[in-house]
Amino acid sequence: MLLNPLTLHLPKTSLEAAKLFKELEDSKVLAGGTFLLNSMKLLKTKGTRTARNVLSLARVDELKGVSFDGDTLTIKAMTRINELFDSPLLGDKGHLNILHTVCRNISTNPIRNMATVGGNLTCRYTWTEMGAVMIALDAQMHFLGPDGKEDVMPAEDFFKNAARSEKLFTHVTIKAQKEAVAAYRRVKKTIHVDIPSLAICLKTEIKGKQWYNTRVGINNGLAFAQRDPALEAFLDKSVSSPDLGKQALEHLTTAIYDTRTTEYKQHMFRVSLRSAIEEICQK
Amino acid sequence: MSEVKLTVNKKEHILNLKGNETLLEVLRDHLSMTGTKTACQESECGTCTVMINGKAILSCITLAANVQDEVTTIEGLAKGDILHPVQQAFIEYGSVQCGFCIPGMIMSSVALLEKNPHPTQEEIEYVLDGNICRCAGYPKIFEAVIEAGKKMKKN
């Protein structure tokens, strides 16, 4: 056997899942399984014990799907990456079609068929892509407690708390802003392993070339996803121009990009940020 | 141990499982369906690819007891002696060298062509990016996929 003995729990409703999430000791949540099962196998080969209880969300239909109510995009936790990629709802909603680009660049096709948006957000690996994206898009994350009560918090706050939650993550909501534009860049760690070395997402509104309400979501692979306040402050006073990308590099919160990292990665951050800003300037 | 119902290639199986078996282990060790291959065991190579609900899935990171929909393996593609168009095309185009990646390649290709029988080269490469061929037989594999798509579209 490649996995240690475990008990698989198969709730059928989100409330049942939320109760088990609270009650089960020594447990892990199974969404798509692309992170969890690999890590459990690896830990077993090292002789390390793994969770005795696995809470599968595969049968909770309430946690599946993408919807749009005219104002807000809702992505349920168990939506597969390829389902989001294929969703026609992303097409013409201003900046929301950046999610199409994000999904396209995640891992390989079979992984995209299995991996979920919820798993990518809550797995507590610092390098996963969706954190930076949801921060840039100012997404709200929704959690369900065993008492049936819902908590909502901005994605930014969730990641400031190291992606911890005592309640079950159910869905994310993002307001559509037709005036907003976004850009996304992702750099792979190596050609062999599709773990991102870095991911960045910029979202802004541009009126007459002036940037407004800019949000910059950064995933540096070392810390949980975060914003870059220095870069946001600079861009919000800026006007689109061919030089803006180059100028922006003088206004970074350098600790995000330069601490505990290689020269190559520092360089790639700057290349990626400049490229993303230049892309937005052309929109 | 608990009873798990698993439908593979349209046949229902009732299995006594401990719960920690991967789908790959169940297919090969419990059901003797060794067409689906074991290689990296960590979702990198694609040799364990099967189809669930028409989608290419990696059976090495799927818990068998967690599967509720029908599974299609390489053994389930042919109809008696009549090979699936993708299988036939792989033979005709000389796409098989050592053969180890081929079941996984075929499953991913079938999943693609059922959704889009007329993919571009770029779309084929994008969808097959999870299936590695160490013999580097990609050109003939892609040719076979294009040809199979034409046949499937005709049918």
Side-chain angles (χ1 to χ4, degrees):
Chain A
M1 296 288 175
L2 295 164
L3 293 167
N4 284 325
L6 56 89
T7 302
L8 185 64
H9 301 264
L10 296 163
K12 292 194 173 55
T13 68
S14 50
L15 183 58
E16 193 184 341
K19 285 178 180 169
L20 283 169
F21 184 68
K22 176 78 177 171
E23 289 162 5
L24 282 174
E25 291 180 0
D26 191 17
S27 66
K28 290 283 185 187
V29 176
L30 175 61
T34 54
F35 292 139
L36 180 66
L37 290 183
N38 272 336
S39 73
M40 288 176 82
K41 281 186 195 178
L42 182 63
L43 289 170
K44 191 188 177 207
T45 61
K46 293 183 176 181
T48 307
R49 64 177 297 281
T50 52
R52 288 215 149 265
N53 290 295
V54 172
L55 172 56
S56 168
L57 303 180
R59 284 160 173 72
V60 184
D61 291 340
E62 299 164 54
L63 294 180
K64 298 173 187 173
V66 184
S67 60
F68 184 73
D69 66 1
D71 174 62
T72 302
L73 183 76
T74 299
I75 307 169
K76 302 274 179 79
M78 284 295 287
T79 302
R80 311 288 169 168
I81 300 297
N82 263 349
E83 283 170 8
L84 184 57
F85 175 68
D86 288 336
S87 174
L89 295 175
L90 301 181
D92 59 352
K93 310 287 187 302
H95 60 301
L96 294 180
N97 58 15
I98 199 67
L99 289 166
H100 190 84
T101 306
V102 175
C103 291
R104 192 185 197 287
N105 284 286
I106 289 178
S107 195
T108 62
N109 188 55
I111 294 282
R112 289 188 294 271
N113 280 335
M114 301 170 71
T116 64
V117 172
N120 195 284
L121 282 168
T122 61
C123 63
R124 303 199 71 225
Y125 286 109
T126 54
W127 41 261
T128 54
E129 300 88 342
M130 288 285 180
V133 177
M134 293 302 168
I135 286 174
L137 298 182
D138 198 11
Q140 302 298 307
M141 293 180 68
H142 300 246
F143 299 84
L144 184 67
D147 54 2
K149 286 187 185 159
E150 186 188 68
D151 277 350
V152 186
M153 71 171 80
E156 183 184 356
D157 290 353
F158 176 68
F159 287 103
K160 273 184 187 165
N161 192 32
R164 284 195 200 95
S165 172
E166 294 190 353
K167 296 187 178 182
L168 184 74
F169 172 65
T170 57
H171 61 285
V172 65
T173 52
I174 309 168
K175 289 268 186 217
Q177 298 168 265
K178 283 214 167 149
E179 308 297 323
V181 291
Y184 172 75
R185 295 292 183 272
R186 177 190 192 269
V187 174
K188 265 204 294 201
K189 204 166 197 173
T190 70
I191 58 170
H192 306 293
V193 177
D194 190 50
I195 290 173
S197 176
L198 65 94
I200 61 172
C201 188
L202 276 69
K203 185 206 79 170
T204 191
E205 296 172 62
I206 298 183
K207 293 172 189 171
K209 293 199 173 187
Q210 175 75 46
W211 290 43
Y212 290 95
N213 300 324
T214 305
R215 292 179 69 94
V216 178
I218 302 290
N219 169 2
N220 66 10
L222 301 170
F224 287 102
Q226 57 192 300
R227 290 170 73 172
D228 181 345
L231 181 56
E232 288 177 356
F234 169 74
L235 289 171
D236 263 356
K237 295 176 201 157
S238 301
V239 170
S240 286
S241 74
D243 291 332
L244 182 59
K246 191 176 170 186
Q247 291 166 11
L249 298 184
E250 303 297 320
H251 300 272
L252 304 180
T253 306
T254 51
I256 297 174
Y257 310 102
D258 295 351
T259 304
R260 292 191 295 138
T261 186
T262 61
E263 275 187 39
Y264 168 74
K265 193 167 167 180
Q266 292 172 21
H267 173 72
M268 288 310 297
F269 261 126
R270 283 155 175 80
V271 166
S272 301
L273 284 165
R274 180 173 171 173
S275 165
I277 291 167
E278 287 170 357
E279 179 186 326
I280 289 181
C281 286
Q282 287 172 15
K283 286 190 179 177
Chain B
M1 299 279 262
S2 61
E3 236 178 46
V4 172
K5 189 170 78 175
L6 196 62
T7 305
V8 183
N9 300 331
K10 299 190 184 343
K11 188 177 171 189
E12 194 175 281
H13 301 269
I14 306 291
L15 303 161
N16 282 318
L17 298 180
K18 292 176 184 171
N20 61 341
E21 297 91 342
T22 64
L23 179 60
L24 181 61
E25 286 173 313
V26 167
L27 289 173
R28 292 181 59 85
D29 301 337
H30 293 246
L31 299 178
S32 302
M33 291 184 188
T34 54
T36 308
K37 303 304 180 194
T38 302
C40 77
Q41 294 277 21
E42 54 183 28
S43 68
E44 293 285 339
C45 71
T47 59
C48 67
T49 307
V50 296
M51 273 170 49
I52 298 180
N53 267 343
K55 293 184 168 52
I57 298 292
L58 300 172
S59 58
C60 73
I61 52 166
T62 300
L63 278 179
N66 200 33
V67 175
Q68 51 181 340
D69 297 314
E70 183 175 343
V71 180
T72 304
T73 70
I74 188 72
E75 290 92 345
L77 291 186
K79 290 177 184 167
D81 289 339
I82 302 171
L83 293 178
H84 190 281
V86 175
Q87 290 173 308
Q88 191 62 45
F90 269 57
I91 294 170
E92 286 172 7
Y93 277 76
S95 311
V96 182
Q97 294 190 51
C98 82
F100 204 78
C101 73
I102 295 301
M105 283 285 184
I106 288 177
M107 297 313 294
S108 288
S109 302
V110 170
L112 164 65
L113 294 175
E114 283 182 354
K115 194 175 160 188
N116 173 15
H118 209 52
T120 61
Q121 174 79 11
E122 191 186 348
E123 285 167 336
I124 296 170
E125 290 180 22
Y126 180 64
V127 166
L128 294 188
D129 64 355
N131 294 88
I132 296 173
C133 173
R134 292 291 279 134
C135 302
Y138 298 107
K140 290 194 181 293
I141 288 170
F142 297 150
E143 282 176 30
V145 173
I146 290 171
E147 192 57 34
K150 290 177 191 169
K151 289 201 174 120
M152 284 171 71
K153 195 174 178 189
K154 263 190 206 164
N155 295 344

